[in-house]
Amino acid sequence: MGKADSAADARPYHHGDLRHVLIEAALALVAEEQDWTFSLREVARRAGVSHNAPYNHFGGKQDLLVAVAAAGFESLRDRMRGAISAIDAADAALRACGRAYIKFAMQNPALYRLMFGPALAKTKGGRPPAARFAGADAKTVLAEIILRGARSGVFAVSPDDRPGQEMAVFFSWSAIHGVTMLLLDDFMEADFALDDAIKGFERTLLTGLTPR
Amino acid sequence: MGKADSAADARPYHHGDLRHVLIEAALALVAEEQDWTFSLREVARRAGVSHNAPYNHFGGKQDLLVAVAAAGFESLRDRMRGAISAIDAADAALRACGRAYIKFAMQNPALYRLMFGPALAKTKGGRPPAARFAGADAKTVLAEIILRGARSGVFAVSPDDRPGQEMAVFFSWSAIHGVTMLLLDDFMEADFALDDAIKGFERTLLTGLTPR
DNA sequence: ACCTGAACACCGTTCAAGT
DNA sequence: ACCTGAACACCGTTCAAGT
């Protein structure tokens, strides 16, 4: 971290990693303005490059936003993983994971909206946008928890029942995403505390999974 | 429907109902282009007015999009109501309502994304956007079903337990919205049929509500 | 391979008029 | 009260150069 002018330090006029810098700048703008109506030129300005430089790394503004959403999903996935890393019991892990998920969304509302908004929509060309792959990656964390619960007998689904697990993953994510969205949008009475919501959600979430 | 030139037919040069026409034009554009990146000028063009006319009815493009989202919520509410109008049993009504909800979203994916996207975000000024009121209105349909089920003893919540009902409404909507979003975004295996998803969702949805 | 500057068509929004 | 046309600053994207 000194001021040694090693080979690695010398930025060769067009610095190595603009793509990454642009995504970071866009992430910051989403957080600051709480929407994604900023211009591509503004992103370039923040990154300290000409307004055409982004076109060397992205097809256009939409493409950059998809990359931002993908970065969001990766960050979300890391939070989920971090939340469960020290937890053994599958039901406790699912609860912790859900809590981390909701927390992430509440801390980055606009980013979360972008992630599930236009960034996931099918591209006109046909092939699915990158954000969807990153989203599927986040989904994998849930799948692992479900599988663990199936193996340990904590959840009412067999370790061999792949479709049943897929179902469980699907409905777990549905419940978490649904609660998150409604919390984000303030669609509840004022006396409806966040903590109650999470507790109730956990009950709903586990009801269909735990054996009676 | 004749060609009589009655007083009602004569459009007085600046026709009566531009606000409504603009919303319809924008709705059509959302459906056609499956996003809301079209320009406000394009909407005006479709409506056959100058590109400034919209400013007599909306604060700007964002404001128009909020009105479009509000119209979407009203339409959704009508579909939900239509689906349950001839059904007595509360659990059957909840199922039918959920099915109509999902169907609406699948038929208008971009509109649904817009409704839960930036249109609901808190306005910078502070007061909540119109779309949120329309959304709360749609929520009322669910509240009525829950109350009916509570009264008839079909759901495991007391007719006097207002917070409990609010909870039930919240989690019903969460489940429906979550499933809808993930279906919309193709976040499931290819062999995961829509019908199975709906059946499973109904089970999840009712599990927490029906007495054991 | 990556970046720049000039250029083009288009957009959101404002304002002074029109009816 | 509602609509129009001109005007302004700004944007997305393209293209011919630069290094």
Side-chain angles (χ1 to χ4, degrees):
Chain A
M1 315 288 179
K3 44 176 71 176
D5 50 352
S6 69
D9 270 306
R11 295 244 202 103
Y13 188 64
H14 42 303
H15 58 121
D17 199 20
L18 182 55
R19 186 189 154 86
H20 187 245
V21 172
L22 288 168
I23 293 176
E24 288 299 319
L27 276 167
L29 276 165
V30 170
E32 280 172 37
E33 313 199 343
Q34 285 300 301
D35 66 21
W36 50 92
T37 60
F38 51 81
S39 67
L40 183 54
R41 284 162 112 112
E42 171 73 17
V43 181
R45 235 174 270 132
R46 292 253 183 152
V49 292
S50 86
H51 61 270
N52 311 313
Y55 288 90
N56 288 308
H57 301 275
F58 301 98
K61 192 194 173 185
Q62 291 297 319
D63 206 41
L64 170 60
L65 288 181
V66 168
V68 169
F73 273 117
E74 282 162 24
S75 174
L76 173 60
R77 179 245 292 144
D78 292 344
R79 300 280 197 101
M80 292 164 83
R81 255 194 215 299
I84 65 170
S85 64
I87 302 181
D88 274 337
D91 54 347
L94 187 54
R95 269 193 288 264
C97 187
R99 240 185 255 112
Y101 188 107
I102 293 174
K103 203 170 160 194
F104 171 86
M106 302 291 274
Q107 284 171 345
N108 315 275
L111 177 58
Y112 191 78
R113 260 186 244 276
L114 169 63
M115 285 158 59
F116 282 90
L120 283 178
K122 288 178 189 67
T123 350
K124 262 166 194 163
R127 75 204 187 295
R132 196 171 309 184
F133 295 111
D137 193 25
K139 179 182 146 185
T140 303
V141 182
L142 283 178
E144 287 174 15
I145 301 176
I146 298 290
L147 180 60
R148 202 197 303 169
R151 284 204 177 117
S152 63
V154 174
F155 294 154
V157 60
S158 154
D160 307 318
D161 183 7
R162 286 281 293 119
Q165 285 170 48
E166 174 72 14
M167 275 282 238
V169 171
F170 181 58
F171 292 121
S172 301
W173 198 4
S174 292
I176 296 174
H177 174 70
V179 166
T180 300
M181 245 347 194
L182 296 191
L183 280 176
L184 225 60
D185 290 332
D186 256 1
F187 270 133
M188 11 164 224
E189 306 292 311
D191 60 349
F192 200 93
L194 173 66
D195 222 55
D196 289 338
I198 292 183
K199 276 202 198 101
F201 140 74
E202 289 170 352
R203 186 163 47 82
T204 305
L205 186 55
L206 294 174
T207 307
L209 287 174
T210 46
R212 310 203 182 184
Chain B
M1 313 284 187
K3 43 177 70 174
D5 51 353
S6 69
D9 270 307
R11 296 243 200 104
Y13 189 65
H14 42 305
H15 59 118
D17 198 20
L18 183 56
R19 186 188 155 87
H20 186 245
V21 172
L22 288 168
I23 293 177
E24 290 298 320
L27 277 167
L29 275 164
V30 170
E32 280 171 38
E33 312 200 343
Q34 285 298 301
D35 66 21
W36 50 93
T37 59
F38 52 80
S39 68
L40 183 54
R41 284 162 112 111
E42 171 73 16
V43 181
R45 235 174 270 131
R46 292 252 182 153
V49 291
S50 86
H51 62 271
N52 310 313
Y55 288 90
N56 288 308
H57 300 276
F58 301 98
K61 191 194 174 186
Q62 291 294 321
D63 207 40
L64 170 61
L65 288 181
V66 168
V68 168
F73 274 116
E74 283 162 24
S75 174
L76 173 60
R77 180 244 292 144
D78 292 344
R79 300 278 197 104
M80 293 164 84
R81 254 193 217 300
I84 65 170
S85 63
I87 301 181
D88 274 337
D91 54 347
L94 186 54
R95 270 193 288 263
C97 187
R99 241 185 255 113
Y101 188 107
I102 293 174
K103 204 170 159 194
F104 171 86
M106 302 291 275
Q107 285 172 345
N108 315 274
L111 177 58
Y112 191 78
R113 260 186 243 277
L114 170 62
M115 284 159 59
F116 282 90
L120 283 177
K122 287 180 189 67
T123 351
K124 261 165 192 163
R127 77 205 185 297
R132 198 172 306 183
F133 294 112
D137 193 23
K139 180 181 146 187
T140 304
V141 182
L142 282 177
E144 288 175 15
I145 301 176
I146 298 290
L147 180 59
R148 203 198 302 171
R151 285 205 176 119
S152 64
V154 174
F155 293 154
V157 60
S158 153
D160 307 317
D161 183 6
R162 286 281 294 121
Q165 286 170 47
E166 174 73 14
M167 275 282 238
V169 170
F170 181 58
F171 293 121
S172 302
W173 198 4
S174 292
I176 296 174
H177 174 71
V179 166
T180 300
M181 242 354 192
L182 296 193
L183 280 177
L184 225 61
D185 291 332
D186 256 1
F187 271 133
M188 12 167 222
E189 306 292 310
D191 60 350
F192 200 91
L194 173 66
D195 220 55
D196 287 339
I198 292 184
K199 276 203 198 98
F201 140 72
E202 289 170 353
R203 185 164 47 81
T204 306
L205 185 55
L206 294 173
T207 308
L209 286 174
T210 46
R212 311 201 181 186

